[in-house]
Amino acid sequence: MNILSLKDATLSLNKKIILSKETVHIYAGEKIALVGRNGCGKSTLLKILAQEMDIEDGMYIQKPGLSVAYLSQNPNTIPCCSVGDFLHEVIEAPHLAFQAEELLLTLRLDPKSMLSQLSGGELRRAYIAKTLLIPADLIILDEPTNHLDIIGIEWLETWILNSKQSFIIVAHDRRFLKNVTQRTLWLHEGKLRSAPVGFEGFEEWQETFLQEQVRIQSRLDVKLAQELRWLARGVTARRRRNEGRLSRLKELRKQKASFSKDSQKISLSRQEDVGLTRQLMEGWNLGYTLPDARILFQGLNFRLLKGDRIGMIGPNGCGKSTLIRVLTKELDPGQGVLKTSSTLNWSIFKQNQPIEELSYSVKRFLCAPGSDYVDVQGKQRHVVAYLKEFLFAPDQAHCLVHMLSGGERNRLRLAKLLSQSPDLLILDEPTNDLDIETLDFLKDFLLQYSGTIIIVSHDRDFLDDVVSSILVFELQGYVKEFIGSFSDYLQEGSNRHAFFKPIEKVIKPSIEKSIEHRSSVKKEKLSYHEKFFLEHGLKEIEMLLSQKKKLEESLEHFQDNTPLPMSPLKIEELSSMTQKLSECLENIRVKEETWIQIAEKESRLSGKN
């Protein structure tokens, strides 16, 4: 059932087109990924769907009584109340009180803590909890994984998968989107396109779609066809780079494993003989204890060598940022000895670090006054060419920093940091708010970077694609080193990792769903809907096949009888017809697979009886 639609929606902000007469439908129970580059208008579109912003033209249509819950990327104000009172604002039924207690326990939130005293990660978890408690038909989540640790991300995946509510999600975490979404909306240059696949199959669909558009447009508009070819090449190249990264990392991990004889030492050798000149840092029995006697880490022995690429993972509040502050000598270790090379220099990318130069232009932020060139690791690069690598358009060089979106500001901060050439580059949650294309560029850059890198991140795909080893914070403050990716670490066996265990998708978000689950396992049988679809599904498929034939005939007739060059209205009509045919083909595939699965289940149950 269609619960919400935008029809011919148009919106422009700061002379930039966000939506250009776009139409989209949201259906009950859908889990949708919304993707696009930073600054394309994803957050703006979410605000429109949540009715926090109006469109200039077009129609906003919703089913009667529709309720929407919206998690914004950055809340404007923080209420002066406790976590418990904050959640109870939306509790309207007894079972929600039970859910609230479950959420507080699962998300490790103290109901008595004041919101104003929470860390960034804790505050994000509180807002997520409140959003999920709202009895809404549609839940809109803008970057829900920001500041969440891996445990929290996997828990959120479980909640979404087991929910019957509709979700629209903007997130940079590839694996999160792959695990939870069934359809993808792609916002690009004011056009909103619907891919009938979850994010896991989106890039393959996108590549096929762009190649088809190139074929259509090649007869109509040479310039547009060239742009589409460029986009298609970018998607194809990105997929190939992913394969290349994997092979390079396997070699790095192999070298590291052959070098490391002591599992407590952190080292990566690209040469057989490693001299003292390659050693940047060494620690013995390092530890840090808080004033309340809580041990953050203890007994840490390590050696950091040139060329190391190390990921650091652990739950929120376990001490990762504290360890970084110890390594950079911002804090003295409570115990142990830290020895650092006298010539060591480092640069740090800190999460949530504001940009002070908001009144600067983008070019002035990167270059010296009056210059058009930026010093990139000792070489002069024209600022426009350098910005293109970070997916900025040429005219954005003269844009003021305060006009950029949150993700674009993060991109700009990274561009400035990565232009330097420190011995040690420390990145604390660098993936927050970055779009997927920028993340791919960042992965390639880090693998080619000649210096040493330490990365704190909860992005599982990012860690798998970049690091050669990981430092894992475990119980009682012990930190273990593992050579390989985070996925490799999980596969080592449950006795190795205390916090990180593959979660079974069994958590239910309400008491009603738990009762439904318990009753269903007493006796397996076909549901009413399964019986109905088994009986009537083939007729639905036949109707769709008939619709497919009509669409194909209409498309062929349109192309044969439309004079060239086409008007913009005719081009839009052609694009709409192509989209409808794509959606029809996907509906046929889904219904055929569903009918076969139900028929096999019915046959199996008949055999049991």
Side-chain angles (χ1 to χ4, degrees):
M1 182 176 66
N2 184 3
I3 62 173
L4 176 62
S5 296
L6 289 178
K7 186 174 181 181
D8 296 331
T10 300
L11 179 67
S12 297
L13 293 176
N14 300 318
K15 299 182 180 181
K16 181 176 182 179
I17 298 176
I18 304 298
L19 294 172
S20 175
K21 297 184 70 64
E22 297 306 300
T23 296
V24 65
H25 305 288
I26 310 300
Y27 299 94
E30 279 194 303
K31 277 75 174 176
I32 302 172
L34 174 59
V35 301
R37 283 187 178 178
N38 291 137
C40 71
K42 298 189 297 297
S43 293
T44 300
L45 177 57
L46 294 186
K47 290 178 181 178
I48 292 171
L49 295 173
Q51 287 194 293
E52 292 201 355
M53 182 178 289
D54 294 329
I55 52 178
E56 296 172 355
D57 195 13
M59 298 177 66
Y60 180 100
I61 308 169
Q62 65 179 43
K63 77 166 188 177
L66 178 75
S67 58
V68 179
Y70 170 51
L71 174 71
S72 65
Q73 187 172 342
N74 297 302
N76 294 327
T77 59
I78 301 175
C80 184
C81 64
S82 68
V83 173
D85 291 340
F86 184 62
L87 297 189
H88 278 81
E89 291 177 1
V90 296
I91 294 178
E92 301 176 355
H95 75 272
L96 288 178
F98 173 82
Q99 287 185 21
E101 293 180 6
E102 178 189 359
L103 283 170
L104 288 170
L105 180 64
T106 304
L107 296 177
R108 304 186 302 283
L109 290 170
D110 182 357
K112 298 180 181 179
S113 297
M114 298 298 291
L115 289 176
S116 58
Q117 298 175 350
L118 299 181
S119 67
E122 291 170 331
L123 189 63
R124 191 64 172 169
R125 295 201 298 271
Y127 272 93
I128 288 174
K130 183 174 182 178
T131 304
L132 296 180
L133 282 173
I134 297 174
D137 303 300
L138 171 63
I139 297 179
I140 299 174
L141 303 176
D142 193 355
E143 292 289 359
T145 61
N146 276 5
H147 309 298
L148 280 188
D149 57 25
I150 295 173
I151 301 171
I153 293 172
E154 291 184 334
W155 170 85
L156 183 58
E157 287 176 1
T158 301
W159 181 288
I160 294 173
L161 287 171
N162 288 326
S163 173
K164 292 183 177 180
Q165 297 160 299
S166 300
F167 284 82
I168 301 178
I169 305 166
V170 169
H172 66 270
D173 190 316
R174 283 175 176 270
R175 192 170 303 182
F176 175 76
L177 291 178
K178 288 178 182 178
N179 289 345
V180 302
T181 59
Q182 305 157 330
R183 181 156 71 103
T184 306
L185 295 177
W186 174 32
L187 183 59
H188 178 71
E189 294 185 348
K191 292 295 181 183
L192 185 62
R193 297 180 173 90
S194 175
V197 293
F199 185 75
E200 186 168 15
F202 169 69
E203 287 188 340
E204 184 175 352
W205 174 91
Q206 184 188 37
E207 185 177 351
T208 302
F209 172 82
L210 288 171
Q211 290 173 347
E212 177 66 15
Q213 292 297 303
V214 170
R215 186 186 68 79
I216 294 172
Q217 294 295 339
S218 61
R219 298 183 301 159
L220 310 175
D221 187 328
V222 174
K223 182 178 179 181
L224 180 57
Q226 289 174 342
E227 292 177 355
L228 290 170
R229 286 192 188 95
W230 179 81
L231 277 174
R233 284 199 302 271
V235 175
T236 305
R238 185 161 67 244
R239 294 175 66 199
R240 290 174 179 169
R241 284 200 303 271
N242 289 339
E243 298 173 1
R245 277 197 297 264
L246 183 60
S247 62
R248 290 196 298 271
L249 270 179
K250 284 182 178 179
E251 181 61 28
L252 287 174
R253 289 164 186 161
K254 182 179 178 182
Q255 293 177 19
K256 186 171 178 63
S258 65
F259 177 79
S260 295
K261 297 180 180 180
D262 184 348
S263 63
Q264 294 299 319
K265 292 182 178 179
I266 304 299
S267 54
L268 172 63
S269 174
R270 290 182 181 171
Q271 303 172 2
E272 294 185 359
D273 55 333
V274 179
L276 292 177
T277 57
R278 294 206 59 200
Q279 181 169 301
L280 301 180
M281 191 180 297
E282 191 168 9
W284 301 276
N285 197 35
L286 288 179
Y288 195 90
T289 303
L290 295 174
D292 62 4
R294 182 164 67 93
I295 298 173
L296 290 183
F297 56 89
Q298 61 178 329
L300 173 58
N301 299 301
F302 79 102
R303 184 170 57 165
L304 187 67
L305 301 180
K306 291 181 180 178
D308 279 358
R309 280 159 173 74
I310 299 172
M312 195 180 294
I313 62 174
N316 289 136
C318 69
K320 301 184 297 295
S321 295
T322 301
L323 178 55
I324 292 296
R325 294 174 69 189
V326 168
L327 298 183
T328 56
K329 297 190 175 181
E330 184 179 343
L331 287 177
D332 292 327
Q335 65 183 54
V337 178
L338 177 67
K339 182 180 178 182
T340 304
S341 169
S342 59
T343 59
L344 177 64
N345 64 84
W346 58 77
S347 294
I348 303 178
F349 180 91
K350 296 181 179 179
Q351 57 177 318
N352 301 325
Q353 185 175 1
I355 293 180
E356 296 180 357
E357 303 89 341
L358 291 176
S359 61
Y360 283 14
S361 68
V362 170
K363 184 183 81 169
R364 175 65 183 86
F365 182 80
L366 292 175
C367 304
S371 174
D372 291 331
Y373 290 86
V374 56
D375 188 357
V376 180
Q377 299 183 22
K379 296 181 180 179
Q380 291 292 304
R381 296 281 307 280
H382 194 279
V383 64
V384 172
Y386 184 59
L387 284 169
K388 280 184 179 179
E389 294 185 357
F390 289 85
L391 306 180
F392 286 99
D395 58 355
Q396 284 185 290
H398 302 288
C399 176
L400 298 182
V401 173
H402 75 84
M403 299 290 290
L404 301 178
S405 68
E408 288 174 320
R409 291 185 193 182
N410 261 6
R411 264 195 271 155
L412 186 60
R413 288 175 56 211
L414 278 170
K416 187 168 186 175
L417 178 70
L418 298 179
S419 68
Q420 305 166 11
S421 54
D423 301 322
L424 175 61
L425 183 61
I426 301 173
L427 304 175
D428 189 2
E429 290 292 352
T431 65
N432 283 353
D433 302 325
L434 294 184
D435 58 53
I436 290 167
E437 291 181 74
T438 306
L439 283 178
D440 279 315
F441 167 75
L442 181 58
K443 290 174 184 179
D444 286 332
F445 185 96
L446 294 179
L447 280 179
Q448 298 167 14
Y449 187 71
S450 59
T452 303
I453 304 168
I454 297 177
I455 303 170
V456 179
S457 179
H458 301 301
D459 189 322
R460 296 155 292 181
D461 269 15
F462 187 76
L463 290 173
D464 282 355
D465 287 349
V466 172
V467 303
S468 55
S469 64
I470 53 176
L471 281 176
V472 188
F473 283 71
E474 296 202 333
L475 293 174
Q476 299 177 339
Y478 288 102
V479 183
K480 294 182 179 179
E481 181 254 343
F482 177 80
I483 299 171
S485 68
F486 176 72
S487 296
D488 296 333
Y489 175 72
L490 284 182
Q491 294 173 4
E492 280 293 294
S494 60
N495 61 332
R496 182 174 178 92
H497 40 84
F499 289 117
F500 306 107
K501 299 178 181 179
I503 295 179
E504 297 180 5
K505 309 299 183 186
V506 296
I507 298 175
K508 298 294 177 180
S510 69
I511 294 176
E512 289 84 355
K513 292 178 79 70
S514 298
I515 294 173
E516 176 187 327
H517 174 71
R518 288 196 296 269
S519 62
S520 67
V521 298
K522 290 180 181 179
K523 183 178 179 180
E524 187 181 14
K525 60 181 181 180
L526 291 183
S527 68
Y528 168 79
H529 294 290
E530 287 175 325
K531 290 179 181 178
F532 184 88
F533 190 75
L534 189 62
E535 183 177 351
H536 301 281
L538 291 178
K539 293 180 181 178
E540 293 184 28
I541 294 171
E542 288 176 1
M543 292 175 61
L544 284 169
L545 288 171
S546 177
Q547 180 184 349
K548 167 182 170 288
K549 184 178 179 181
K550 291 180 180 178
L551 286 170
E552 289 175 335
E553 290 174 351
S554 298
L555 184 61
E556 184 177 352
H557 180 267
F558 180 91
Q559 291 177 315
D560 291 341
N561 293 275
T562 303
L564 299 178
M566 286 188 190
S567 66
L569 186 61
K570 288 293 184 181
I571 293 174
E572 182 65 26
E573 186 179 349
L574 177 61
S575 178
S576 176
M577 294 172 68
T578 306
Q579 177 72 13
K580 288 179 181 178
L581 179 59
S582 175
E583 291 176 354
C584 182
L585 291 171
E586 178 62 16
N587 284 336
I588 293 171
R589 183 190 68 79
V590 170
K591 287 187 179 294
E592 286 179 342
E593 290 180 357
T594 302
W595 191 90
I596 292 172
Q597 290 171 0
I598 296 173
E600 291 176 346
K601 180 179 178 180
E602 194 272 341
S603 177
R604 185 179 73 252
L605 294 176
S606 298
K608 288 182 179 179
N609 296 332

